[in-house]
């Protein structure tokens, strides 16, 4: 199924990854407003919020968007996700959503909440495939765990 909104989301995310963070953030915020006014569903909310979180300058704002993504995923069915991509299963979203929240709380200095979400990410990581994305998420779980052990609130290295 062609999903015009997801085409726009993908383009905005690519702009953000290319260094146009402010433009990508503005575009995704407009899409969020469109979805909130009835132009989308929980699948759209989850995806937009998840990507908007990564484009925030404030750690508190990043946490807010990650919380919105987690709240929205509960309204997404596998059937809905598969309308966008046949390979998607909602359970496969969970490790990344939990991991984002674990890292948000870690960077905000709340180790207790960070550990709670990290354990949820680990517990659902069996839903990840044996592919580059699965390995990436599993690797970040390890990095967040190490940073928590070290008491670090610094952003994780991007390399």
């Amino acid at each position: 199924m062609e999903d015009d909104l997801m085409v726009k989301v993908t383009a905005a995310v690519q702009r953000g990854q290319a260094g146009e963070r402010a433009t990508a953030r503005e575009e995704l915020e407009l899409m969020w407003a469109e979805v909130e006014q009835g132009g989308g569903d929980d699948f759209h909310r989850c995806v937009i919020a998840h990507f908007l979180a990564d484009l925030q300058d404030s750690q508190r704002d990043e946490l807010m968007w990650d919380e919105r993504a987690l709240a929205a995923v509960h309204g997404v069915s596998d059937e809905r996700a598969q309308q966008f991509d046949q390979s998607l299963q909602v359970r496969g979203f969970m490790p990344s959503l939990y991991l984002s929240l674990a890292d948000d709380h870690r960077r905000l200095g709340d180790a207790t909440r960070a550990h709670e979400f990290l354990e949820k990410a680990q517990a659902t990581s069996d839903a990840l495939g044996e592919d580059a994305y699965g390995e990436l998420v599993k690797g970040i779980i390890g990095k967040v765990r190490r940073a928590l052990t070290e008491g670090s609130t610094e952003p994780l290295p991007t390399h």
Side-chain angles (χ1 to χ4, degrees):
M1 169 178 126
E2 183 68 20
D3 186 328
D4 293 337
L5 186 56
M6 288 302 294
V7 170
K8 293 192 309 188
V9 168
T10 301
V13 169
Q14 289 171 342
R15 271 189 280 291
Q17 292 170 342
E20 297 176 47
R21 290 173 48 89
T23 300
R25 184 174 52 241
E26 290 170 14
E27 290 173 0
L28 287 169
E29 286 171 350
L30 288 172
M31 289 177 233
W32 176 266
E34 178 183 328
V35 168
E36 288 297 282
Q37 294 172 2
D41 59 15
D42 284 333
F43 176 74
H44 293 126
R45 283 180 188 83
C46 179
V47 173
I48 292 168
H50 185 61
F51 287 115
L52 255 171
D54 294 338
L55 295 169
Q56 300 304 307
D57 294 328
S58 154
Q59 190 56 48
R60 293 253 173 233
D61 289 342
E62 185 171 345
L63 174 62
M64 176 194 68
W65 284 108
D66 281 328
E67 288 172 337
R68 287 178 176 176
L70 183 63
V73 79
H74 297 295
V76 181
S77 67
D78 286 342
E79 293 78 19
R80 171 58 186 100
Q82 289 165 5
Q83 288 175 358
F84 175 67
D85 182 327
Q86 283 293 317
S87 69
L88 294 179
Q89 290 188 323
V90 175
R91 191 168 191 288
F93 296 7
M94 302 314 293
S96 180
L97 294 174
Y98 288 139
L99 183 56
S100 293
L101 286 161
D103 197 44
D104 292 339
H105 286 290
R106 177 190 68 80
R107 288 186 286 147
L108 287 167
D110 187 345
T112 301
R113 293 288 287 158
H115 279 290
E116 289 172 14
F117 282 109
L118 186 61
E119 293 314 311
K120 289 179 180 186
Q122 185 68 55
T124 57
S125 66
D126 63 319
L128 296 168
E130 297 298 323
D131 56 11
Y133 175 75
E135 293 305 312
L136 173 71
V137 173
K138 290 173 190 173
I140 297 171
I141 288 172
K143 289 178 182 180
V144 170
R145 188 173 306 284
R146 279 189 296 283
L148 272 168
T149 300
E150 295 167 0
S152 173
T153 57
E154 295 300 313
L156 293 175
T158 57
H159 51 315

